[in-house]
Amino acid sequence: MTTTTTPAAPRPAGHPAIPKGRTGILLANLGTPDGHDYWSMRRYLNEFLSDRRVIDLPRWKWQPILQGIILTKRPFSSGANYKLIWNEEKNESPLMTITRAQTDALRERAEAEWGESVMVEFCMRYGNPSTHEVLDRMVKAGCRRIVFLPLYPQYAGATSATANDQLFRALMEQKWQPTVRTIDPYFDRPDYISALAGSVTRALEGKAPTKLVASYHGMPKRYLLEGDPYHCQCQKTTRLLREKLGWPEDRIDTSFQSVFGREEWLRPYTVEHVAELARQGHTDIAVISPAFAADCIETLEEINGEIREAFEHAGGKNFTYIPCLNDDPDHIEVMMNIIRENTAGWV
């Protein structure tokens, strides 16, 4: 038996062009200021710290503090920190450079596997390129189905959820919305844990630290008590990493960094913990950041600067920072596996 396909009816005169349908892969990271000058920093911090997922205080209470005190002073100090790590050659932050490299690597892999039917792009939750801008471009390019991949292994309301929020806000502006899939957190995927373990093994070759500190971005303790799973997922990532390395339980510690404000956050605080380790006689340690998919201000300046200094000031001798997975081939393979699973039936 043969079947015939009825040709599409010709479009009436003046009908808008309809691009050929494609599947989109949209990576999302936290964001970055456009520059380290005062006004670039102020715009970025204003958007970031106005997000209710990040600071959930009532607007009437928080905005006067933010606009009147924090945004008057903090752009100067944050800008100075960004300047220390800025990619002067490309005039952008390392987070932008690395996220673009990850996207380029995934685009190359996707095109080799699926051809032009797949489009790979990235956006930032805060700053540029914005989620609204990139989603609109992908829709106009024919993406009728989109896999949205926030670059956070562990789920948190202040990271994964706010990235999804912004995507859905952008979808509200589309006349013809694409079908969207958002990914599960990948904190316990075997391939992700293997990639982490591989990075530890390579970084510590020839070294013998007595402690490995897995430092995760912090959050108020109250968020945990209100049901956010982030703390538990961080703890599981550390445990699985230790098991993959075949190390004893006391060889790896979990801690939290980037504390902001007066409220109690998840403990122990990394900056205090590494100093205490030095005082206990652990003068040779390494630090890894499993919550970050790309090196950024929190790793390159905070961990390798402020936290390193706290350790050395307390008597520590050897401090090894293990870079994020960034665009390491093992990390790209993890993301490709996630993409393959979430495009099932689409490509």
Side-chain angles (χ1 to χ4, degrees):
M1 176 183 290
T2 59
T3 59
T4 58
T5 302
T6 303
R11 300 188 186 115
H15 192 286
I18 301 177
K20 183 178 180 181
R22 307 170 75 185
T23 295
I25 312 299
L26 180 54
L27 311 181
N29 214 325
L30 180 76
T32 172
D34 295 325
H36 49 70
D37 59 282
Y38 175 83
W39 289 109
S40 294
M41 291 302 312
R42 185 182 175 102
R43 284 192 299 272
Y44 173 73
L45 290 171
N46 184 46
E47 183 180 10
F48 175 46
L49 297 176
S50 292
D51 186 350
R52 292 296 305 278
R53 289 279 194 180
V54 176
I55 306 291
D56 63 354
L57 295 174
R59 287 183 60 83
W60 66 265
K61 179 184 293 186
W62 172 242
Q63 281 298 317
I65 298 172
L66 176 63
Q67 302 298 330
I69 301 173
I70 294 174
L71 291 182
T72 300
K73 299 179 179 180
R74 195 175 177 92
F76 290 110
S77 58
S78 295
N81 290 336
Y82 267 98
K83 187 175 182 179
L84 294 173
I85 63 167
W86 201 252
N87 183 340
E88 296 293 349
E89 180 181 353
K90 295 186 176 182
N91 191 28
E92 61 188 22
S93 74
L95 179 68
M96 179 70 77
T97 303
I98 295 166
T99 305
R100 183 184 295 108
Q102 292 170 329
T103 304
D104 289 345
L106 287 168
R107 183 182 295 117
E108 182 178 348
R109 293 283 300 274
E111 289 179 354
E113 196 160 326
W114 298 304
E116 295 184 358
S117 65
V118 171
M119 180 179 184
V120 182
E121 298 292 337
F122 76 92
C123 65
M124 297 295 183
R125 169 61 183 89
Y126 315 103
N128 297 304
S130 72
T131 306
H132 287 69
E133 168 200 338
V134 180
L135 177 73
D136 186 62
R137 174 155 43 87
M138 295 179 78
V139 170
K140 289 177 178 175
C143 291
R144 300 303 319 139
R145 297 163 170 168
I146 292 177
V147 171
F148 187 62
L149 202 169
L151 294 171
Y152 308 108
Q154 300 82 16
Y155 174 94
T159 54
S160 309
T162 190
N164 289 336
D165 290 346
Q166 194 73 345
L167 173 70
F168 298 138
R169 278 190 284 265
L171 286 168
M172 291 171 65
E173 299 179 1
Q174 294 298 322
K175 293 291 185 183
W176 187 5
Q177 291 180 331
T179 300
V180 170
R181 290 175 178 170
T182 59
I183 70 157
D184 288 333
Y186 55 98
F187 65 98
D188 58 353
R189 286 181 62 99
D191 51 2
Y192 166 67
I193 298 300
S194 292
L196 281 178
S199 72
V200 172
T201 300
R202 289 190 297 273
L204 299 186
E205 186 176 2
K207 300 177 182 179
T210 56
K211 281 284 187 180
L212 172 63
V213 177
S215 179
Y216 298 83
H217 198 289
M219 67 162 54
K221 181 180 178 181
R222 172 171 51 86
Y223 291 10
L224 165 64
L225 302 179
E226 291 171 350
D228 194 298
Y230 177 73
H231 178 266
C232 299
Q233 293 183 3
C234 292
Q235 296 286 356
K236 188 171 183 180
T237 296
T238 300
R239 176 176 63 80
L240 293 174
L241 173 59
R242 176 184 60 76
E243 292 174 354
K244 183 68 177 179
L245 290 168
W247 289 2
E249 289 188 17
D250 62 355
R251 185 82 185 277
I252 304 181
D253 294 344
T254 296
S255 63
F256 299 89
Q257 63 183 86
S258 309
V259 177
F260 178 78
R262 298 179 181 179
E263 186 174 2
E264 183 178 2
W265 282 40
L266 299 177
R267 290 182 179 272
Y269 300 154
T270 303
V271 68
E272 297 175 357
H273 185 62
V274 298
E276 180 60 27
L277 287 175
R279 287 189 287 267
Q280 291 174 0
H282 293 282
T283 58
D284 188 339
I285 70 169
V287 179
I288 190 171
S289 301
F292 298 94
D295 275 305
C296 53
I297 189 75
E298 287 87 356
T299 63
L300 299 175
E301 194 284 324
E302 185 179 2
I303 290 180
N304 217 14
E306 175 189 351
I307 291 170
R308 174 191 289 269
E309 289 172 4
F311 173 71
E312 293 174 345
H313 183 73
K317 303 298 182 185
N318 300 310
F319 182 101
T320 301
Y321 171 62
I322 301 173
C324 295
L325 293 177
N326 296 327
D327 59 343
D328 182 270
D330 289 345
H331 195 204
I332 299 302
E333 185 61 28
V334 173
M335 289 192 275
M336 274 301 297
N337 289 338
I338 293 171
I339 289 168
R340 289 187 188 103
E341 292 166 11
N342 285 274
T343 54
W346 283 4
V347 294

